[in-house]
Amino acid sequence: ALQMIRSFVSPQPGDVILQNAGNSGVGFMVSQLARCLHSSNVVSIVRRGGKTTDQWNELVNHLMNDGKCAKVFAEEDLLGSRSAMDDFKSELRNLSATGKLPKLGLNAVGGDSASLILRSLDQGGTMVSYGGMSMKPVEISTSQLIFRDLHAVGYWHSRFMGKASLHTRRFQANTLVDAVLGAGVKCPPTKEFSLAEFQDALSFHQNQSESTIRRKVVFRCNDN
């Protein structure tokens, strides 16, 4: 999350960063780190799916309060509606200190969701793809490349960590620790299990598709 925020566009106070999968662990950290470390506003696009109104409101409140998102939008409300997209872009401009569309978009889904991000970026903007949960390709048009000068790049954290120096990795770790201890950044929600409870942990993880707020499974390795 931190590396993607800082490596491709220099975030400025009042900038807007757009992302999909805002309810993922990475998305949850992106919105907080951008807000706490750079005073940037993160707008998250999230699938509503089969959630009830109460479940959706619970998720939105979680992402805006704990996750520090500036706004949360349901992906389904934006797809296939020109007027909804026009209103969405107006919201993005209103949230920006400069009145411009985002220069940075983060994509973990691909397919139509990635297209929404590309359509919402400012001239010369960059979309960084770090996942493809929809299993659908990222498509960028010739006009977006030529006339809007958009950039579509990928980020693989394992490659970054393999190439980064010890100094860089230590600096990143210290930055994240300071953010959690001093800036109020929260880690993604978790559910703890002992190693002996492995089967319970697996069942919990498999059943989370029904949960409004998904939790990371954490094992307590010091339990006897």
Side-chain angles (χ1 to χ4, degrees):
L2 180 63
Q3 192 64 22
M4 289 191 294
I5 291 170
R6 292 180 166 180
S7 293
F8 301 94
V9 174
S10 297
Q12 301 298 317
D15 280 356
V16 173
I17 296 172
L18 180 61
Q19 67 171 348
N20 54 27
N23 56 333
S24 67
V26 173
F28 186 73
M29 297 306 297
V30 163
S31 55
Q32 293 184 85
L33 292 170
R35 184 63 183 169
C36 293
L37 301 184
H38 297 283
S39 299
S40 298
N41 299 312
V42 173
V43 172
S44 291
I45 300 173
V46 178
R47 285 184 65 250
R48 182 189 290 110
K51 294 180 180 63
T52 65
T53 299
D54 287 344
Q55 289 173 328
W56 173 250
N57 290 337
E58 179 187 359
L59 176 60
V60 170
N61 289 335
H62 167 65
L63 295 178
M64 292 186 68
N65 295 328
D66 295 334
K68 295 182 171 58
C69 280
K71 287 276 188 175
V72 179
F73 291 86
E75 181 180 290
E76 294 89 338
D77 293 343
L78 302 176
L79 291 173
S81 173
R82 182 184 294 272
S83 62
M85 278 300 297
D86 289 342
D87 292 342
F88 178 60
K89 290 180 181 179
S90 294
E91 289 262 18
L92 294 175
R93 290 189 178 96
N94 289 337
L95 286 169
S96 171
T98 61
K100 295 182 178 180
L101 291 172
K103 283 287 189 182
L104 176 64
L106 304 180
N107 164 52
V109 180
D112 291 338
S113 187
S115 297
L116 284 177
I117 291 178
L118 286 168
R119 290 167 59 192
S120 305
L121 293 180
D122 197 20
Q123 181 88 8
T126 298
M127 184 179 75
V128 181
S129 293
Y130 66 98
M133 288 187 286
S134 70
M135 304 298 290
K136 295 179 180 179
V138 171
E139 297 182 353
I140 182 168
S141 68
T142 303
S143 62
Q144 287 174 325
L145 290 170
I146 296 176
F147 302 116
R148 295 184 57 210
D149 191 27
L150 296 185
H151 307 270
V153 301
Y155 177 75
W156 184 24
H157 191 62
S158 296
R159 178 173 56 207
F160 165 78
M161 291 297 288
K163 292 183 176 181
S165 66
L166 176 60
H167 172 77
T168 298
R169 296 197 300 270
R170 183 176 293 158
F171 176 78
Q172 277 212 331
N174 289 337
T175 300
L176 293 172
V177 169
D178 290 344
V180 171
L181 296 181
V185 170
K186 298 180 179 179
C187 294
T190 61
K191 175 71 172 178
E192 293 188 5
F193 296 88
S194 68
L195 289 176
E197 296 171 319
F198 176 81
Q199 289 297 334
D200 292 336
L202 184 60
S203 297
F204 173 82
H205 178 69
Q206 291 173 334
N207 292 328
Q208 284 208 87
S209 59
E210 306 299 323
S211 301
T212 302
I213 300 171
R214 298 186 180 183
R215 298 178 180 273
K216 299 289 185 183
V217 171
V218 175
F219 287 103
R220 299 187 302 270
C221 297
N222 59 343
D223 283 5
N224 294 325

